[in-house]
Amino acid sequence: MDAILQEKLAEKLLCPRARSSRQKDRQYVGFATLPNQVHRKSVKKGFDFTLMVAGESGLGKSTLVNSLFLTDLYKDRKLLNAEERISQTVEITKHTVDIEEKGVKLKLTIVDTPGFGDAVNNNECWKPITDYIDQQFEQYFRDESGLNRKNILDNRVHCCLYFIPPFGHGLRPIDVEFMKALHEKVNIIPLIAKADCLTPNEIKKLKDRVRDEIEKFGIKVYQFPECDSDEDEEFKQLDKELKECTPLAVIGSNTVVEARGQRVRGRVYPWGIVEVENQSHCDFVKLRSMLIRSHMHDLKDVTCDVHYENYRAQCIQDMTSKLTQDNRVDSPLPILPLPTPDAETERLIKMKDEELKRMQEMLEKMQQQIHEKEQ
Amino acid sequence: MAATDLDILASEGMRSLCLGGHVGFDSLPDQLVSKSVSQGFCFNILCVGETGIGKSTLMNTLFNTTFENEEASHYMDGVLLRPRTYDLQESSVDLKLTIVDTVGFGDQINKEESYKPIVDYIDTQFENYLQEELKIRRSLFNYHDTRIHVCLYFIAPTGHSLKSLDLVTMKKLDSKVNIIPIIAKADTISKSELHKFKIKVMSELVSNGVQIYQFPAEDEAIAEINSSMNAHLPFAVVGSSEEVKVGNKMVRARQYPWGVVQVENESHCDFVRLREMLIRVNMEDLREQTHARHYELYRRCKLEEMGFKDTDPDNEPFSLQETYEAKRKEFLGDLQHKEEGMRQMFVNRVKVTEAELKEKERELHDRFELLKRTHQEEKRSVEEKRRDLEEDMNSFNRRKVAAETLQGQAFQGSAQLSIKKDKDKKN
């Protein structure tokens, strides 16, 4: 027995490492499982995403959306004739689908803008679109400020894919005007549509042109977030490639063809077969991985944190400036007093102060006079 | 007498005679040909299409040369037409080719006025020709004909249908020029889509009553090829300024990662058909149609506008000269009338101003009189006042003197009294 005790003592004294590992076991709290918990909860809750596609008709928007999500969203579509389109107005149509992959549910809403840029006179044809986006923001604003906030429906547009025609030399005035009207309301991702009519040289030239023009006109398109320094090299490399490739040149296809012994999505021409998922043919794979596989949540975050907050701040400011001018307007939302009054109210306050002072002086004088008279 | 003979002949119809031997007037076409070759030909093409759709590249490919041109900007305020003339030569045949480009077409946000510059340009060319034709000393054989012979309308390959702008523009142009619609950048449409697209485009054109140029099918030599080509409209073309090595030849082509599109391959695109139809077979017919149909229509409309008619109220054929004289007299008469009117107006105005001036003069005179009178009165009253004042002064002076003397006396008196008092006291 003494020997066993002695052994145990020896263990305790000679093996300090074993002791610290037991300490570590005792120090392990367990919040490293939080990511797993988040994952489980989010899978249970499901995700939603609203994507808007905009551009002239005939640029392949519907085909691309179908290729991206591998479904057929536009089954019974009625396309207008040219004479009907001469004075067409822009409509907003919504298609919602529920898709599921490996237990993760996604409620996808595609907002389409048929009629954009199709009429002969396209003055302010982006107004219905900006109105729609503002409406969604306003509805969310009201819901958020209401009393019962359990079931808020988030219909805000998270991302707008804008299709640039490849037939020109760069951006056209209507492209510039549209993007400038929307860049502070929604994340814009410009795409070069129908890229199978451009040779690689022409694609590069057009991309450089479009990038320069976007910078020249001050259009704020969606910027990919910088990767953290502790991400692995591969991710960083992908991210760098992605940033140099904007705007992405895409091709869409609904049909599956046989190429190089495999069945792939593609377009068949007499001179060859264009494969949609071939990285050397077009940037479709990059678009899909960016939009769906890596940056979908970031798009939602930017919409909530930046665009929506801008809208909300603007809305509140407008409302309070209206209230100080006209007290009879009752606000539907609880308004907190502004910390710093703006120039208008300050001026009014000053005027009122001076008036008060004058009146006080007069009052004093009158009192003095009365005093004297009494005496 | 001669008149009645001719009449009989006319009623019988002309007789065709058989020739006994070879006369030789079958060389007439050859004479015509050698004359036209020595004169040289001229051809004018108008290219209408969006910026960047491939108009210049197609022209380079069609004529196998490089016409100098800069890339157009997308930010033009309106549509500008840019004509450029080139002299080409092939096998001792001279061609004066004018290519008119539409710069800025389809770029503006509001495209309602886009068709106007094009229509105005075409009308101006017709007008110039008409003016030359109506001149007294004219030289039509020497005249550089700038009328547009064919309009190549470039349709964007959307794959759905025509754009609204295309429809509106083609409707405005179809009565003024021969339109050949072309699907540009056709290497972005696959074969099945192309077939559907062509049918859709043609049906839209037909249902909206747009008259495009039909290749003529009367001449048996070319009737067959023309009617088969009519079925291929609109032509789906691809243009290229680069050459790629295919097999062991250098051909005009576009190199993609997935294949090479050869411009002159009939199964790839309709370029060869377009070149055939436009240049090799129907160029002369296009010129003829422009002159015989479109120009005549323009001329008739223009002259009717000016008031010319073919027959006057008595149904007798009018001669142009008489109408012209009548018009001229009318015009001069009008002119004189207007001159008279203006002169009258001028004279009236002068009279009125004169009268006004006289009035003013009289007024001034009256006022002068008035002023003079008031001045006189004032002077008189001032005089009176002065006299009054003098009198007052005099009377005052007298009274002063009187008062002084009285005072002096009084003083003396009082002094005497005081002396008397003293004397009394002393006594």
Side-chain angles (χ1 to χ4, degrees):
Chain A
M1 257 204 326
D2 288 310
I4 301 172
L5 272 170
Q6 263 189 347
E7 260 189 355
K8 278 202 176 157
L9 270 170
E11 254 189 33
K12 275 190 186 171
L13 289 167
L14 292 169
C15 313
R17 212 183 295 154
R19 204 163 150 218
S20 60
S21 74
R22 253 183 285 136
Q23 275 189 340
K24 265 201 195 146
D25 283 337
R26 248 182 274 135
Q27 286 174 4
Y28 178 67
V29 181
F31 53 75
T33 60
L34 270 173
N36 297 354
Q37 296 178 27
V38 170
H39 190 265
R40 222 184 28 240
K41 274 210 172 233
S42 58
V43 166
K44 203 169 104 175
K45 200 165 88 160
F47 295 90
D48 61 7
F49 191 69
T50 309
L51 178 70
M52 175 183 271
V53 285
E56 282 187 9
S57 76
L59 286 179
K61 304 187 289 289
S62 330
T63 315
L64 187 75
V65 168
N66 284 343
S67 310
L68 269 176
F69 294 101
L70 292 176
T71 63
D72 190 7
L73 283 163
Y74 296 92
K75 256 187 287 242
D76 326 294
R77 210 164 50 133
K78 186 176 155 310
L79 292 169
L80 294 179
N81 288 330
E83 68 262 22
E84 290 164 359
R85 280 191 269 155
I86 290 180
S87 44
Q88 193 186 25
T89 50
V90 180
E91 294 170 6
I92 309 276
T93 60
K94 263 172 41 166
H95 299 269
T96 310
V97 284
D98 280 316
I99 43 185
E100 184 178 325
E101 194 181 51
K102 285 206 192 124
V104 177
K105 297 197 213 33
L106 175 67
K107 181 160 101 76
L108 177 70
T109 309
I110 307 281
V111 180
D112 207 350
T113 55
F116 176 78
D118 281 344
V120 179
N121 183 354
N122 290 316
N123 265 334
E124 306 239 317
C125 63
W126 49 84
K127 205 155 178 312
I129 304 176
T130 51
D131 287 344
Y132 176 80
I133 296 178
D134 281 340
Q135 262 172 31
Q136 306 312 308
F137 278 158
E138 194 187 319
Q139 190 215 319
Y140 192 81
F141 185 33
R142 282 179 190 270
D143 287 347
E144 195 186 47
S145 320
L147 293 172
N148 187 353
R149 299 205 297 185
K150 257 212 176 122
N151 300 321
I152 304 182
L153 268 182
D154 186 3
N155 280 330
R156 297 173 292 182
V157 180
H158 298 124
C159 173
C160 175
L161 296 177
Y162 186 70
F163 287 71
I164 301 171
F167 311 125
H169 296 310
L171 290 178
R172 297 165 306 156
I174 194 175
D175 302 331
V176 174
E177 292 298 315
F178 176 84
M179 288 203 269
K180 284 187 86 160
L182 255 72
H183 64 166
E184 306 210 310
K185 295 185 194 284
V186 75
N187 300 315
I188 298 186
I189 299 182
L191 299 174
I192 297 180
K194 292 206 168 174
D196 56 352
C197 85
L198 297 169
T199 61
N201 274 345
E202 289 169 353
I203 289 185
K204 188 167 168 328
K205 230 172 45 155
L206 185 61
K207 282 188 183 182
D208 289 339
R209 225 9 188 324
V210 171
R211 262 204 302 266
D212 289 339
E213 287 183 347
I214 285 179
E215 215 180 285
K216 186 171 93 159
F217 289 106
I219 300 171
K220 301 190 204 107
V221 296
Y222 172 69
Q223 300 292 337
F224 302 110
E226 299 292 331
C227 358
D228 307 318
S229 51
D230 57 350
E231 298 275 359
D232 54 357
E233 272 305 312
E234 198 189 314
F235 190 75
K236 275 201 222 169
Q237 181 67 22
L238 281 172
D239 200 51
K240 195 160 91 84
E241 274 177 32
L242 196 55
K243 287 200 182 130
E244 283 169 7
C245 251
T246 53
L248 299 169
V250 292
I251 302 173
S253 167
N254 281 334
T255 51
V256 179
V257 297
E258 182 93 21
R260 292 181 290 135
Q262 296 175 335
R263 290 184 66 74
V264 288
R265 277 186 173 251
R267 291 171 63 79
V268 179
Y269 290 114
W271 47 86
I273 300 181
V274 184
E275 295 163 43
V276 167
E277 297 188 13
N278 186 333
Q279 293 238 30
S280 58
H281 288 188
C282 71
D283 296 330
F284 174 80
V285 172
K286 289 207 181 74
L287 174 69
R288 184 177 58 191
S289 74
M290 184 275 291
L291 186 64
I292 302 177
R293 292 182 188 174
S294 46
H295 289 88
M296 197 182 239
H297 210 80
D298 183 64
L299 284 164
K300 287 179 72 164
D301 284 341
V302 174
T303 311
C304 294
D305 296 338
V306 178
H307 299 295
Y308 173 67
E309 291 299 318
N310 282 342
Y311 173 82
R312 187 170 168 278
Q314 184 67 36
C315 214
I316 294 183
Q317 233 179 6
D318 288 340
M319 257 194 275
T320 46
S321 69
K322 249 202 283 184
L323 276 180
T324 52
Q325 287 173 10
D326 178 9
N327 279 322
R328 279 168 287 148
V329 170
D330 40 31
S331 109
L333 303 157
I335 303 289
L336 296 169
L338 287 174
T340 51
D342 49 344
E344 182 75 38
T345 46
E346 269 185 28
R347 201 167 47 84
L348 284 167
I349 290 172
K350 255 193 232 162
M351 270 170 54
K352 293 281 192 261
D353 271 338
E354 283 172 29
E355 262 192 65
L356 269 171
K357 265 195 224 145
R358 265 184 270 132
M359 286 174 67
Q360 269 191 346
E361 283 172 22
M362 274 173 56
L363 208 65
E364 276 181 16
K365 266 197 229 151
M366 283 169 61
Q367 276 193 345
Q368 265 191 354
Q369 283 182 0
I370 295 174
H371 239 16
E372 284 170 17
K373 278 210 179 134
E374 275 179 4
Q375 285 174 1
Chain B
M1 283 294 280
T4 41
D5 278 338
L6 279 169
D7 280 344
I8 293 171
L9 265 175
S11 59
E12 278 180 343
M14 287 203 275
R15 298 176 293 154
S16 45
L17 296 170
C18 286
L19 296 173
H22 179 77
V23 180
F25 58 78
D26 61 351
S27 70
L28 274 171
D30 297 329
Q31 296 176 25
L32 188 60
V33 164
S34 60
K35 176 163 163 257
S36 5
V37 166
S38 61
Q39 242 181 8
F41 297 88
C42 94
F43 195 63
N44 307 320
I45 305 181
L46 169 68
C47 293
V48 180
E50 290 173 9
T51 309
I53 200 125
K55 305 183 282 290
S56 322
T57 313
L58 186 70
M59 288 296 113
N60 288 350
T61 319
L62 260 180
F63 291 99
N64 215 356
T65 168
T66 312
F67 301 115
E68 92 275 344
N69 43 37
E70 325 89 31
E71 227 176 48
S73 134
H74 278 285
Y75 301 99
M76 313 270 309
D77 279 332
V79 178
L80 190 67
L81 275 97
R82 202 170 49 183
R84 291 221 173 96
T85 311
Y86 308 97
D87 280 313
L88 307 171
Q89 200 195 47
E90 192 181 51
S91 312
S92 74
V93 174
D94 290 315
L95 178 67
K96 210 182 191 60
L97 179 71
T98 305
I99 300 182
V100 185
D101 210 354
T102 49
V103 181
F105 187 74
D107 277 334
Q108 299 81 30
I109 295 183
N110 184 352
K111 296 176 269 207
E112 280 176 351
E113 308 282 304
S114 291
Y115 69 88
K116 283 213 181 104
I118 305 177
V119 171
D120 288 342
Y121 181 84
I122 298 176
D123 280 343
T124 316
Q125 309 315 309
F126 281 156
E127 183 66 33
N128 291 345
Y129 193 84
L130 182 64
Q131 290 301 325
E132 179 68 29
E133 221 185 24
L134 289 177
K135 268 197 205 164
I136 300 175
R137 279 174 184 277
R138 61 188 195 182
S139 52
L140 275 176
F141 61 89
N142 230 346
Y143 179 71
H144 173 47
D145 187 5
T146 54
R147 298 173 293 182
I148 302 290
H149 298 125
V150 69
C151 167
L152 294 175
Y153 196 95
F154 288 71
I155 300 173
T158 58
H160 292 321
S161 66
L162 277 180
K163 291 197 182 170
S164 47
L165 174 66
D166 296 341
L167 195 61
V168 166
T169 313
M170 278 207 258
K171 279 202 85 165
K172 296 277 178 196
L173 290 178
D174 69 348
S175 58
K176 293 193 182 281
V177 73
N178 302 314
I179 300 184
I180 299 184
I182 294 181
I183 300 175
K185 298 206 169 175
D187 53 355
T188 191
I189 318 186
S190 64
K191 263 238 156 41
S192 50
E193 290 169 357
L194 186 63
H195 189 63
K196 273 194 273 178
F197 187 44
K198 280 192 184 185
I199 294 180
K200 188 86 203 309
V201 166
M202 291 309 280
S203 75
E204 278 195 334
L205 288 176
V206 164
S207 69
N208 282 292
V210 176
Q211 288 174 333
I212 55 174
Y213 176 72
Q214 295 292 329
F215 301 116
E218 289 103 25
D219 184 1
E220 312 89 43
I222 52 173
E224 206 185 295
I225 187 172
N226 272 349
S227 33
S228 78
M229 288 300 179
N230 271 331
H232 281 280
L233 280 173
F235 293 126
V237 291
V238 175
S240 167
S241 32
E242 288 139 13
E243 298 201 338
V244 170
K245 198 174 178 70
V246 169
N248 49 4
K249 289 195 302 171
M250 294 292 281
V251 289
R252 280 184 178 262
R254 286 172 67 75
Q255 173 104 43
Y256 288 111
W258 49 86
V260 176
V261 183
Q262 292 160 40
V263 167
E264 299 194 13
N265 186 334
E266 287 218 16
S267 59
H268 287 190
C269 71
D270 294 332
F271 173 78
V272 174
R273 295 196 188 100
L274 173 69
R275 186 176 58 191
E276 189 81 18
M277 285 292 101
L278 185 63
I279 303 181
R280 294 184 186 174
V281 177
N282 293 312
M283 209 182 216
E284 186 56 35
D285 182 69
L286 284 164
R287 286 162 35 126
E288 220 183 279
Q289 286 280 333
T290 310
H291 183 72
R293 206 154 61 119
H294 300 292
Y295 171 68
E296 287 300 314
L297 181 65
Y298 175 82
R299 183 174 170 276
R300 200 176 66 206
C301 294
K302 204 66 203 294
L303 291 181
E304 270 177 2
E305 230 177 89
M306 288 207 276
F308 292 104
K309 283 189 278 286
D310 267 341
T311 56
D312 73 349
D314 300 330
N315 268 354
E316 290 279 324
F318 239 12
S319 98
L320 198 68
Q321 201 184 20
E322 282 178 27
T323 333
Y324 184 65
E325 279 299 319
K327 282 254 151 207
R328 197 156 168 275
K329 271 202 212 125
E330 208 186 298
F331 181 66
L332 284 174
D334 260 341
L335 208 65
Q336 261 189 340
H337 200 73
K338 273 211 188 114
E339 247 188 83
E340 274 301 317
M342 274 169 63
R343 204 174 294 148
Q344 276 288 51
M345 224 171 50
F346 183 68
V347 167
N348 283 347
R349 257 244 212 112
V350 166
K351 278 207 193 120
V352 165
T353 347
E354 259 187 47
E356 275 179 26
L357 279 174
K358 279 219 176 86
E359 263 286 328
K360 286 238 167 76
E361 225 187 289
R362 217 172 357 101
E363 248 180 72
L364 272 174
H365 207 71
D366 284 341
R367 222 188 301 158
F368 181 61
E369 292 290 312
L370 193 66
L371 277 175
K372 217 159 87 170
R373 255 181 284 133
T374 36
H375 183 70
Q376 297 268 13
E377 276 192 33
E378 287 276 332
K379 226 160 112 175
R380 240 185 306 124
S381 61
V382 166
E383 275 291 325
E384 271 188 36
K385 279 206 182 122
R386 197 158 66 83
R387 260 184 274 127
D388 283 341
L389 191 66
E390 276 193 27
E391 269 193 41
D392 278 341
M393 266 170 58
N394 288 341
S395 62
F396 178 69
N397 279 337
R398 269 185 266 123
R399 264 197 281 147
K400 190 167 137 192
V401 169
E404 274 181 359
T405 48
L406 259 174
Q407 211 179 37
Q409 279 180 4
F411 198 57
Q412 265 188 353
S414 68
Q416 279 182 355
L417 265 173
S418 66
I419 294 172
K420 255 190 191 168
K421 265 189 190 167
D422 282 343
K423 268 187 187 167
D424 281 338
K425 266 186 191 171
K426 270 182 191 174
N427 296 346

